[in-house]
Amino acid sequence: MNPVSTPTPTSATVGPTSAGHSTASTGEGNSKTCDEALAQAFTFLGKRWNGVILGTLTNGASGFAELRRNVTGISDSVLSERLSELQTAGLIVRAVEPGPPISVSYQLSDAGTALVPAMHALSVWAAKHFPGPGDRTP
Amino acid sequence: MNPVSTPTPTSATVGPTSAGHSTASTGEGNSKTCDEALAQAFTFLGKRWNGVILGTLTNGASGFAELRRNVTGISDSVLSERLSELQTAGLIVRAVEPGPPISVSYQLSDAGTALVPAMHALSVWAAKHFPGPGDRTP
DNA sequence: ACTGGTTGCTTCGTTTTTAGAAGCGACCGG
DNA sequence: CCGGTCGCTTCTAAAAACGAAGCAACCAGT
């Protein structure tokens, strides 16, 4: 399980939550490993920026530069890489408008959109347990 | 926003989902940034291994070595670091049993436990959109 | 007594990932 | 023409993760 490599959707050894590690759950008796599906979810969500990018796209389609501005702190190169990965994984869709000026927009795919309720649950949890950016009283 | 540093719960500049970037949401008109609470959640969940560790601990308390085995693919040093961070953040609790042999166990805190439903939602989503470890048809 | 194993980490060097700046062609407005 | 934006790409530097070795404490077997 090496998430360092681009989470190639083809490999079972992807992400911090690679299926590889999940498959090591032995299956019998001692079943204290992470749920495989959850591990799979964290193939993407456990990778820096993906969660925030997807969260940002819940507001609607955005272009590269717009995302760059709205996902504060992300670099061009990482954003480009993440968008490519998320697209390959089928979580977002990239649409090109060809006529001058050419423009590109990214939006959540059906799969990405299906993730929104879970993301909302995370948001609700965080709002409760991280009351303020500087308030650490979980 | 530098998640590279240990997500010190005191700082507003933590994680890929630092409050710093969320606060840059400008607040008026163009509100397409990620929800601040969600960004905060990804301070931890967007960091390699945290989601899987927390997911693993939903099965109940575990020792270090047990976690090491059950979170397949994680290294000792990263596990140690992550446990420390998650404890500092109040998501897990470390309990020491002193009498020979000394043993240490980690379990979800109240805040960590409160995260379980959201994690479950993620798991359900992933099971639907990633049907199999090697099956990439979201 | 010694050996080998487990536990719960720590340390250190290596590899991978992320960050950050600069760059490019296309397009637009002044 | 210039300067700006867009949508990236490229390259170097910094940070994170990896992987192996190490340590003290403890236990069981010979």
Side-chain angles (χ1 to χ4, degrees), chain B residues 44-116:
Chain B
F44 301 100
L45 298 181
K47 197 167 165 63
R48 186 93 193 269
W49 294 114
N50 277 342
V52 182
I53 290 169
L54 292 169
T56 301
L57 286 174
T58 61
N59 300 313
S62 292
F64 185 93
E66 192 173 6
L67 272 173
R68 176 71 168 81
R69 285 190 301 270
N70 289 331
V71 183
T72 317
I74 195 169
S75 61
D76 281 0
S77 50
V78 170
L79 178 58
S80 178
E81 180 74 21
R82 289 290 172 282
L83 290 174
S84 178
E85 291 160 7
L86 289 171
Q87 183 187 357
T88 300
L91 297 186
I92 64 173
V93 179
R94 176 176 177 271
V96 181
E97 187 64 47
I102 195 167
S103 77
V104 177
S105 80
Y106 297 89
Q107 68 188 48
L108 294 179
S109 67
D110 287 346
T113 302
L115 186 56
V116 170

Side-chain angles (χ1 to χ4, degrees), chain A residues 13-80:
Chain A
T13 62
V14 292
T17 62
S18 71
H21 107 269
S22 302
T23 56
S25 59
T26 70
E28 74 286 324
N30 182 23
S31 180
K32 298 188 78 168
T33 58
C34 177
D35 169 61
E36 175 162 345
L38 184 64
Q40 192 82 358
F42 277 103
T43 302
F44 301 100
L45 299 182
K47 197 166 163 67
R48 184 90 194 273
W49 294 116
N50 278 342
V52 181
I53 291 169
L54 292 170
T56 301
L57 286 174
T58 60
N59 299 314
S62 292
F64 185 93
E66 192 173 7
L67 272 174
R68 174 74 168 80
R69 285 188 300 269
N70 290 331
V71 182
T72 316
I74 194 169
S75 62
D76 281 0
S77 50
V78 171
L79 178 57
S80 179

Side-chain angles (χ1 to χ4, degrees), chain B residues 36-47:
Chain B
E36 176 161 346
L38 184 64
Q40 192 80 359
F42 277 103
T43 302
F44 301 100
L45 298 181
K47 197 167 165 63

